[in-house]
Amino acid sequence: MSGEFWTGRLNDPYAFDANIGFYDTTLRDGEQTVGVVLSPEDKLELARGLDELGIERIEAGFPRVSDEDRRAVELIRDAGLNAEVWGFSRAVEADVKVLVELGVGASVIESPISDLKLEALGVDREAMLERIVYAVSFAAEQGLTVAFFGVDGTRADLGFFETVYKTAVEAGAREVVVVDTIGIAAPEAVADLVGRTRDWVGAEVAVHFHGHNDFGLATAAAVAAARAGARWIHGTINGMGERAGNANLAEIALALRGLYGVETKLRLERVRAFSDRLRSVSGYELEPYKPLVGENLFTRESGAVASQFHDPPAIEPYSSELVGAERKIVLGKKSGLDSIRIKADELGLDLDDDAQRELLTRVKELGMKKRGLVTDDEFRKLAGG
């Protein structure tokens, strides 16, 4: 066990080597969260924050959607970021032309490829394949680095999937994205499809994975994709996105590092601060028990746990310093004598054993009466009484 992770040896047989980069789509797919509207200035601020987190690729947006989206792409393009700035385009010539006009050097080009999607749009396979070839070849001729993005690929016919991806590469796509648009792929299925895709397009074509969290498996699916050879993992901070959200990049980085021994460039110690700012800008809160960024991760109320508070590896799987968090004791119905002792020391209160026991009774009573926590001020008053 390292000094930051206290996970034991159970996972050792499953460690693997991989070179994983993160492709962030918070500013585009994340903004599709219901009710979220990010201004160009918001997106610029967030792009700078993502850059400071160590994100290697930032999807600046879909500039043909609106003048504001175009302005956001311009601002991010000119911000001097270390990260690569990517655009987003449908398999439509006009979308590609806007990216070329803006001087964006790389973009995903998306097109639906499942029969469910094609039938909903009233387009047959051959017609869609023609659109893909035209858009990808046009973009490549204009000098764009293209990653082909097959929408709803995990529900597509495998034979058609293979044909589309091979054809996209022949048309000029230098990278391809395995896309679980509706979040239906189990981790094992993701690994299989990523592996097949690598075989179909060849070792020189980087494979990405883009997953959603509809079954709560986006992090596991992304890890499976990494194990299967995906070079780039797509996602958002806080898991923002439509329906149940996108894969959560910070959780993926934490799992890869702490459970599988795979290092990434994501700076885990900065994620909580960025997460908090993103929540403020987007207007969404998160569960206090959310992995990595949750407010309760290193906060202890239970007396049984407080008795081991001095020994973090006994009660936590990784250090608070790793993710830039603060450890603390709070008081309430579930407190124990050690909780009282630790809080009294923290507040500079000198209490003998009898006073601590009496105070514990008062704290529990107040916690039950309030149906909540006892504040430090209330604790002082109880101690004084």
Side-chain angles (χ1 to χ4, degrees):
M1 291 187 292
S2 73
E4 296 176 315
F5 290 97
W6 308 307
T7 51
R9 307 305 299 269
L10 183 68
N11 298 312
D12 288 0
Y14 308 103
F16 62 95
D17 292 323
N19 181 18
I20 302 300
F22 288 130
Y23 178 108
D24 183 273
T25 183
T26 302
L27 307 182
R28 199 270 308 171
D29 220 354
E31 192 188 23
Q32 291 182 208
T33 303
V34 172
V36 172
V37 178
L38 302 175
S39 72
E41 292 72 26
D42 290 335
K43 291 186 177 182
L44 175 62
E45 177 193 349
L46 294 173
R48 286 176 170 149
L50 291 167
D51 196 42
E52 291 172 358
L53 287 182
I55 297 291
E56 294 100 325
R57 290 179 171 180
I58 297 172
E59 192 172 83
F62 183 11
R64 198 156 173 247
V65 167
S66 69
D67 289 340
E68 284 213 332
D69 286 271
R70 181 182 178 118
R71 176 61 178 154
V73 173
E74 290 174 335
L75 291 174
I76 296 167
R77 175 200 65 193
D78 296 337
L81 305 180
N82 292 315
E84 297 176 18
V85 176
W86 280 59
F88 182 87
S89 168
R90 297 166 299 180
V92 174
E93 181 180 337
D95 289 3
V96 175
K97 283 183 175 179
V98 172
L99 293 172
V100 173
E101 291 170 7
L102 289 172
V104 176
S107 181
V108 297
I109 292 184
E110 73 151 22
S111 180
I113 62 171
S114 71
D115 289 332
L116 282 165
K117 291 286 189 183
L118 294 176
E119 289 167 8
L121 294 170
V123 180
D124 64 28
R125 290 183 181 182
E126 282 304 313
M128 188 56 71
L129 196 57
E130 288 178 8
R131 292 186 190 181
I132 292 166
V133 170
Y134 183 80
V136 170
S137 59
F138 176 74
E141 288 166 5
Q142 303 304 310
L144 264 71
T145 297
V146 174
F148 175 70
F149 188 101
V151 174
D152 206 21
T154 52
R155 296 196 296 177
D157 174 79
L158 278 179
F160 186 56
F161 184 111
E162 178 182 358
T163 297
V164 168
Y165 276 64
K166 285 181 175 179
T167 302
V169 170
E170 290 169 2
R174 287 157 60 180
E175 304 181 8
V176 296
V177 188
V178 173
V179 188
D180 190 20
T181 304
I182 310 297
I184 58 85
E188 298 85 354
V190 168
D192 179 66
L193 188 54
V194 167
R196 288 173 185 255
T197 304
R198 292 184 72 210
D199 291 340
W200 290 332
V201 300
E204 71 281 1
V205 178
V207 175
H208 305 212
F209 175 69
H210 178 108
H212 285 254
N213 200 38
D214 294 79
F215 284 84
L217 290 172
T219 294
V223 170
R227 179 186 285 280
R231 172 66 180 86
W232 294 96
I233 300 296
H234 291 211
T236 64
I237 302 301
N238 290 347
M240 285 180 67
E242 285 189 288
R243 304 184 317 279
N246 288 52
N248 188 316
L249 291 183
E251 290 181 12
I252 296 163
L254 183 69
L256 284 172
R257 183 175 174 185
L259 304 181
Y260 298 94
V262 176
E263 294 291 340
T264 70
K265 293 182 179 178
L266 192 73
R267 301 188 63 176
L268 293 172
E269 75 281 4
R270 295 192 175 192
V271 172
R272 288 174 69 91
F274 183 84
S275 167
D276 186 62
R277 180 56 185 156
L278 179 59
R279 281 176 263 174
S280 176
V281 172
S282 67
Y284 272 87
E285 290 300 322
L286 296 175
E287 308 99 319
Y289 36 80
K290 187 81 170 170
L292 199 154
V293 298
E295 292 302 316
N296 288 356
L297 293 191
F298 300 95
T299 300
R300 306 300 180 198
E301 181 188 356
S302 168
V305 177
S307 67
Q308 304 168 58
F309 191 73
H310 64 286
D311 188 9
I315 55 175
E316 292 155 12
Y318 52 86
S319 73
S320 57
E321 290 85 358
L322 176 72
V323 296
E326 178 186 353
R327 302 179 75 242
K328 59 184 178 181
I329 290 286
V330 293
L331 302 175
K333 171 189 172 183
K334 297 180 285 291
S335 294
L337 274 174
D338 284 299
S339 309
I340 301 300
R341 175 184 54 79
I342 293 170
K343 181 58 72 173
D345 288 345
E346 177 188 317
L347 298 178
L349 302 176
D350 186 14
L351 303 173
D352 61 27
D353 290 348
D354 289 339
Q356 289 182 18
R357 289 189 182 89
E358 183 178 347
L359 190 52
L360 174 60
T361 300
R362 293 177 182 172
V363 164
K364 284 178 171 291
E365 288 174 349
L366 181 55
M368 286 186 281
K369 182 179 179 181
K370 289 182 63 179
R371 291 184 174 271
L373 298 177
V374 174
T375 68
D376 287 354
D377 283 344
E378 288 170 336
F379 181 75
R380 288 189 184 94
K381 290 179 182 177
L382 292 174

